[in-house]
Amino acid sequence: MTSPQSIKTLKINDIHVSGVEGQTILNVAREHDIEIPTLCNLEGLSPSGSCRLCMVEIKGSPRLLPACVTPIEEGMEISTDSARLLKYRRMIIELLFAERNHICAVCVTNGHCDLQNMAQRLGVDHIRFTYRYPNLPVDASHAQFAVDHNRCILCGRCVRVCDEIEGAHTRDMCCRGIETLIITDLGKPWGTSDTCTSCGKCVNVCPTGALAEKGKSVAEMAKRRAFLPYLVMRREVRK
Ligand code: FES
């Protein structure tokens, strides 16, 4: 049973809310139907705080903090939707588009893409930054799936689902900064992996067209994610 001491009361957008000690700001906000934009976060996977889209303002803190990994504290006063936050969120989306080659018109997930949806939601209709147009590889060596690094936003969902849910840890990230890439095993072609179970979980949690099923054409790859909360719930029941 939850002890009374572990309940925290706070304000989000001037609304009085409460949560249990250890919950994140994002969890508590969602429980109270307060929407905070996210990209790297996905229900059923551990939060990683990598995309920074969920940044919020906290009274008394000079820094913006990511709601998905910041625990609630008693008396917090949080703003989730100020003009300043919208400005930075738009900038994050623009930088993601500028960093790699996201050509929606020829993408397998056109119309089903979390990055594209978020850009529309935040009103990003042009990119103010110079496109880098990196020359990144496509690995189509797997029989069923392909990875196009040009469309990867390095959210790490594929790494986490493979490790935390499938238990294979086939995927990881290598290198640093703008050189960072998602890799298979220690950098092998996907089709030669000894650890990949071909479950397709990584493909379905990927927010963009970076991971896709082979044989899908433009706009044909809608991701299926219902399995994730279901698997997590079944495991909780078995504990
Ligand atoms: Fe919080 Fe990405 S959703 S940092």
Side-chain angles (χ1 to χ4, degrees):
M1 203 172 109
T2 306
S3 67
Q5 290 89 338
S6 63
I7 301 292
K8 306 279 182 194
T9 55
L10 55 150
K11 279 206 254 180
I12 304 181
N13 299 343
D14 288 325
I15 300 166
H16 289 278
V17 298
S18 62
V20 179
E21 183 170 8
Q23 276 191 296
T24 63
I25 294 172
L26 182 67
N27 291 148
V28 174
R30 287 188 170 163
E31 280 179 7
H32 292 83
D33 295 327
I34 299 167
E35 197 37 56
I36 299 175
T38 58
L39 265 183
C40 65
N41 193 268
L42 192 63
E43 188 186 343
L45 300 181
S46 62
S48 66
S50 54
C51 75
R52 310 314 259 192
L53 210 66
C54 67
M55 288 186 303
V56 293
E57 291 176 324
I58 299 176
K59 193 172 176 186
S61 167
R63 293 186 303 135
L64 301 177
L65 292 170
C68 68
V69 288
T70 304
I72 55 166
E73 286 174 24
E74 180 66 32
M76 268 180 164
E77 292 186 34
I78 300 161
S79 170
T80 69
D81 59 0
S82 66
R84 178 182 174 219
L85 290 170
L86 179 61
K87 183 179 93 174
Y88 285 125
R89 286 175 184 151
R90 281 187 179 144
M91 189 185 292
I92 290 168
I93 296 294
E94 288 180 55
L95 287 167
L96 286 173
F97 272 100
E99 189 175 16
R100 297 207 173 174
N101 305 305
H102 297 277
I103 316 294
C104 300
V106 291
C107 180
V108 284
T109 55
N110 188 7
H112 314 285
C113 171
D114 291 359
L115 179 65
Q116 189 184 43
N117 290 342
M118 192 57 72
Q120 286 170 355
R121 176 176 159 187
L122 297 177
V124 177
D125 51 14
H126 64 284
I127 310 299
R128 291 166 293 166
F129 304 103
T130 307
Y131 284 87
R132 290 189 58 249
Y133 295 123
N135 185 10
L136 294 173
V138 175
D139 178 358
S141 58
H142 191 283
Q144 294 159 256
F145 312 118
V147 53
D148 182 349
H149 294 284
N150 295 286
R151 295 179 175 142
C152 177
I153 59 169
L154 301 172
C155 66
R157 286 185 189 180
C158 57
V159 175
R160 282 175 282 149
V161 80
C162 187
D163 181 33
E164 297 169 11
I165 304 296
E166 183 62 8
H169 202 143
T170 296
R171 302 219 163 276
D172 217 318
M173 291 197 193
C174 87
C175 315
R176 301 177 73 90
I178 57 170
E179 308 291 332
T180 306
L181 277 187
I182 295 290
I183 53 168
T184 305
D185 292 336
L186 290 175
K188 287 170 137 185
W190 194 353
T192 66
S193 169
D194 301 320
T195 60
C196 176
T197 62
S198 302
C199 69
K201 290 185 178 67
C202 58
V203 173
N204 282 294
V205 300
C206 172
T208 68
L211 289 164
E213 290 168 7
K214 281 185 168 178
K216 296 279 197 248
S217 185
V218 172
E220 286 185 351
M221 181 77 222
K223 306 293 176 91
R224 299 178 300 274
R225 303 202 176 119
F227 72 90
L228 195 48
Y230 174 75
L231 285 183
V232 173
M233 186 264 290
R234 294 302 305 166
R235 286 180 188 185
E236 291 296 320
V237 168
R238 286 175 57 184
K239 273 185 194 168

